[in-house]
Amino acid sequence: TDEIMQQEIRPLVAVDIIEQLHRQFAILSGGRGKDGAPIITFPEFAGFSDIPDEDFLNVVTYLTSIPSLEAASIGFIIIIDRRRDKWSAVKASLTRIAGAFPGNLQLVFVLRPSRFIQRTIADIGIKLYRDDFKMKVPIIMLNSVSDLHGYIDKSQLTRELGGTLEYGHSQWIHHRTAIENFAMTVKTTAQMLQTFGTDLAETELPNDVQCTEELLSAHTDHHSKLKDELKLAVKQGATLLTCIREPVTRSANSKLSPDELENVATVERLLAQLDETEKAFDQFWTKHHLKLEQCLQLRHFEHDFREIKLSLDNLMEGQAGFADIGDSVTRVEHLLREQKQLEEKGQEPLEKAQSLALHGEQLIQNNHYAVDSIRPKCVELRRICDDFTNETKKKYDILGKSLELHKQLDKASQWCEAGIYLLASQAVDKCQSQEGAETALVEIEKFLVTAKEHQLSNPKEFYNQFDMILTPEIKANAQRILQKLEDVQEMFDKRQVSLKKLAAKQTRPVQPVAPHPESSPKRASPKITRPAGSEAQRGTDKENHFFFHVCLFELLVNTITFHLSSFFSHIINELIETERVYVEELQSIIEGYASEMDNPNLVHLIPSALQNKKDILFGNLPEIYEFHNRHVGAVVVLIFLKEIENCIENPELLARCFLKRKEDLQIYEKYCQNKPRSEALWRQCGDSIFFQECQRKLDHKLSLDAYLLKPVQRITKYQLLLKEMLKCSKNSEGTAELEEALATVLDIIKSANDSMHQIAITGYEGDVSELGKLLMQGSFNVWTDHKKGHNKVKDLARFKPMQRHLFLYTKMLLFCKKREENTDGHEKTASYSFKNSLKMSTVGITENVKGDNKKFEIWYNGREEVYIIQASSVELKNTWISEIRKVLTGQLEACR
């Protein structure tokens, strides 16, 4: 590295002592002695003795610092010109130089006074005072410049000393000032580049696109400005170099003095340093700029990845929610259309994901610095695309199987219906004759030929063929249709037996009686011979006609009863099957997890955050288990299951089971209220070794949190099953009890839901449990109007609604602001920040607001404060008004 850049700038520069230099009491003309010693001349100067010591020392120090170290080490030659002065001036000059000259001296030449008397005095004085000057170098007294030429060549002396050396003091000062300014510029520029480089090296890369773009722009602008500074500095140095070389350029005979040559070398050295500095800086900038550009590419890639990942997650979530396989041909065809729409909807995000993954691979191939961050994202994008494609294909396969299955079921069902219709449509009168019976038999035989086309295959083969999609519902429906096929086939068999008997040749002149179906075994077919005659014949015809219609009526009644009772039985059977599994799962949770938390052998595996919080994690799960699983003496009895099983023969009694247990089912509301706290604790501790060990021992495929959802799913299951039964029993016996049972379960679900919202209220200083029962809760647009408020505030409030979540209690109406926050990467959880409250004992209500049928008013203190509330629908508004009216009416009655 160049020494100029490493040294501190010299203490003295020309600008600092410019006035003293211009006085020209000492000059560095550029001349050299025979051995290359620099010459410093002290020209004749009338006021030399009056120069302040500081000024003299500064000028002499500055002049001795200019020659190179090599030249200065030889020693300086001093020429003191005092030809027009007195001995006193010579003495003063020698004394000052001897006492303050900072450099090495080689020789001192004194051009002594030219006047005779002064010359004589000088000769005597130098002999007397030589030792007083304390100079260790020779002092040579000269009478004239010609004597000086004997020591120093004329080419190294200025014209004032009889030489030929061109020297202009003003130009010399100008060059020195310019060189020093240029040196300062070079150093400053280098420092600026170094500072900028340090800043770049210490800059942390931003984490988003906008900040990265701003940083890249700022650094590029700064780089451009520094490059401009470099260009100016180079231009300044080149101009200075031209000025120093100007005499040589102007005249071929001119030569630069050693000092001027040193000036040229100095400027060239500074220019070279600039060039080296610029190259080093450009190399650093190239690397830094590349990293910034790659950082921007990475941030764009990450931003696009987040957006596409969100789209893909939504797509996969939609696909995951697409679990229905249909319960009919129409439904399956509808699902296939929906699947097609989902597939078409996914094409754009899938193409974007593939394109982004390809872009990421290109970044990796271009040696991007963040390969370890880009490659996993590319893998993830391609994995999701493959998962969606594979899952879509699987969905199509399943739905195709489901469509084939339901088509077979429909064909079988249609064949049964057609068979029943055929049996019912065969005229009794026509079947009484041999010809009519034979015709009916032919019809039946032709119809039975079609059985192979439309009936289901062997039940075992059928179940094996469609095993992958046989849900309990579909299996129950298939069993129902298979049973129906057997029943219809049996009907045909019985009808064929009867018709074959009628078709047989009769040897007796009597009319045979059609046999009664086997469904009435107590009535045997009459085979007695009646007396011949018209009366007997007519009686037999009437009897046969009556028996046939009884058969047909029983057939239709049995068919209808079969459909309805089969549906109800299916619901109750499903409830029984799932209830037993549900209770077993509750038992495994309590014994395999909750009880193990008290196991001293496992206590070291339990996280500290979970200590003494078993009741929070499991809530009142033991209470729910105890409700379903009672100990009667030493025998364990599934009470609720037993009651449900008693309803198999009488499905209408199911509603009474729920009404009987109305109070007991409230435990589910308590469980749901605790669920948010339980989930928060699970998110904090769910990854612990303790839970993994418990899951391993239980051989559970799912983790604990999935099983903790079972009670919530169970109460919802009760609701769905009651709804299904209610759909098929409208206006029939037991409908009212079913409706009441469903209302009971829905009220539990609503209370649990409202309670989960209630516990998320923050900022309310009172105790919400003292506000009475929570009747309603929901989000609304709210405008406020205060009589005491400023008009501008009122006008602003009129046009800009607030989003508020209202909680209606029997004693208070709370206004809260809903906030949603992400919790450790999980889905958003809502909280409600308390803003205001109104006592229900002091409010009034205006049910209709002009201009909007979804608005109503709640006012306070004689309409001093008015809250205009806008619901999302008229129905919701009417529901709230009804509840508020009940509260106000109840308060009025209480006052009376």
Side-chain angles (χ1 to χ4, degrees), residues 770-776 807-813 839-841 887-888 891:
E770 297 177 357
L771 303 182
K773 183 179 180 181
L774 176 60
L775 304 174
M776 301 283 287
F807 292 85
L808 176 63
Y809 296 88
T810 53
K811 296 181 181 180
M812 192 83 77
L813 177 63
K839 290 183 178 180
M840 293 305 296
S841 60
V887 174
L888 299 182
Q891 291 176 349

Side-chain angles (χ1 to χ4, degrees), residues 449-467:
V449 171
T450 64
K452 293 182 179 180
E453 302 177 20
H454 298 88
Q455 292 183 32
L456 293 176
S457 58
N458 180 280
K460 185 175 181 181
E461 295 177 2
F462 173 81
Y463 291 138
N464 290 337
Q465 182 182 1
F466 298 106
D467 180 65

